[in-house]
Amino acid sequence: LRDNRIELVRASWHELSISVSDVSLSDEGQYTCSLFTMPVKTSKAFLTVLGVPEKPQITGFTSPVMEGERMQLTCKTSGSKPAADIRWFKNDKEVKDVKYLKEEDAVRKTFTVSSTLDFLADRSDDGAVVSCRVDHESLNSTPQIAMQVLEIHYTPLVKIISSNSWPEEGQSIILTCESKGKPVPEPVLWTKDGGELPDPERMVVNGRVLSISFLNKTDNGTYRCEAKNPIGRNSTEYVLIVH
């Protein structure tokens, strides 16, 4: 063996030891130690070198993604020997239904492995952390991880909350329109029975809140709250009955 990475550690009548620094895949193979007696005696051992996988990368993500669109995220790592294992997680919960592909580099005898996560974007995924985890025996139980935070845009979700479940004449009522969407919805629009609010002196809109004072039976009707953002619009209704 003639290589400046190989050093003689110990040489005696009983033992001959060498060390190999900066080990590479080409160091794999059969090593022979010979004792020059008559006849020559030899002992052989096969050295297996593990290929350490490169840090994984996630591709295929564009930001933002619209709700309902199909997302395909691919995680890839090269240089592993034997082939590394790839697992997907969404908010620390493992995702099982994924595709796995293994390709061997004939020259280096290492593997490039990739896995694809395929799903429809949902508003519940907004802000979720998707991670790709690479496990391999060369990593000493410390997996390599790549992460991606999802950003999903979706139409507003609208809900009306009433301050009074049994409104009576002379009382007041506050209707709050809760709207959640991404991007954040514009100020909400209040209407009554399909038209503008009929009594702006008693019916006051402040942001998402509609306050009606001194209720009377003419206030009976259907109140609609509508919210919109660049993705779309949504609305909900509340039927007011003054007792």
Side-chain angles (χ1 to χ4, degrees), residues 14-242:
H14 308 288
E15 181 183 334
L16 186 65
S17 301
I18 60 171
S19 70
V20 184
S21 59
D22 193 19
V23 173
S24 67
L25 292 171
S26 61
D27 293 322
E28 179 165 298
Q30 185 167 274
Y31 287 74
T32 304
C33 167
S34 298
L35 182 62
F36 289 96
T37 54
M38 189 66 71
V40 175
K41 295 179 181 179
T42 61
S43 181
K44 299 181 179 182
F46 193 89
L47 174 68
T48 300
V49 179
L50 299 176
V52 182
E54 296 175 1
K55 184 172 175 60
Q57 289 188 323
I58 296 176
T59 58
F61 179 73
T62 55
S63 181
V65 177
M66 303 304 168
E67 183 176 36
E69 283 187 3
R70 180 170 294 281
M71 295 184 68
Q72 287 188 322
L73 302 181
T74 299
C75 179
K76 179 184 276 190
T77 177
S78 302
S80 60
K81 176 176 167 290
D85 183 40
I86 294 182
R87 296 158 70 191
W88 285 97
F89 294 83
K90 187 190 290 184
N91 287 340
D92 297 326
K93 184 178 181 181
E94 186 169 2
V95 181
K96 293 287 190 179
D97 188 18
V98 293
K99 299 175 183 174
Y100 180 83
L101 183 65
K102 179 173 70 174
E103 298 175 345
E104 184 176 9
D105 181 340
V107 177
R108 299 182 66 222
K109 304 290 187 187
T110 60
F111 292 88
T112 296
V113 292
S114 62
S115 179
T116 301
L117 183 63
D118 191 333
F119 63 100
L120 294 178
D122 184 81
R123 64 184 61 201
S124 63
D125 293 327
D126 184 47
V129 178
V130 171
S131 56
C132 160
R133 172 173 154 174
V134 175
D135 290 289
H136 193 261
E137 53 192 293
S138 68
L139 299 176
N140 297 323
S141 301
T142 305
Q144 292 181 332
I145 298 174
M147 294 189 296
Q148 178 67 60
V149 179
L150 303 184
E151 183 183 3
I152 313 296
H153 282 192
Y154 54 94
T155 56
L157 187 67
V158 187
K159 180 171 66 172
I160 294 177
I161 299 173
S162 171
S163 66
N164 192 338
S165 59
W166 187 267
E168 299 178 3
E169 274 192 306
Q171 293 181 342
S172 63
I173 191 170
I174 296 175
L175 301 179
T176 303
C177 180
E178 289 189 348
S179 60
K180 183 182 179 185
K182 195 164 186 181
V184 175
E186 300 170 11
V188 299
L189 175 65
W190 283 100
T191 57
K192 181 193 176 192
D193 296 330
E196 293 184 2
L197 299 176
D199 192 342
E201 289 188 5
R202 290 188 305 111
M203 300 178 176
V204 179
V205 176
N206 184 9
R208 304 179 186 279
V209 177
L210 168 60
S211 303
I212 308 175
S213 56
F214 304 108
L215 288 169
N216 63 66
K217 61 183 180 181
T218 65
D219 298 327
N220 288 347
T222 301
Y223 293 79
R224 177 191 290 264
C225 164
E226 181 181 279
K228 66 178 180 178
N229 64 7
I231 311 302
R233 62 181 65 203
N234 210 341
S235 64
T236 189
E237 294 179 343
Y238 176 83
V239 178
L240 174 61
I241 299 174
V242 180

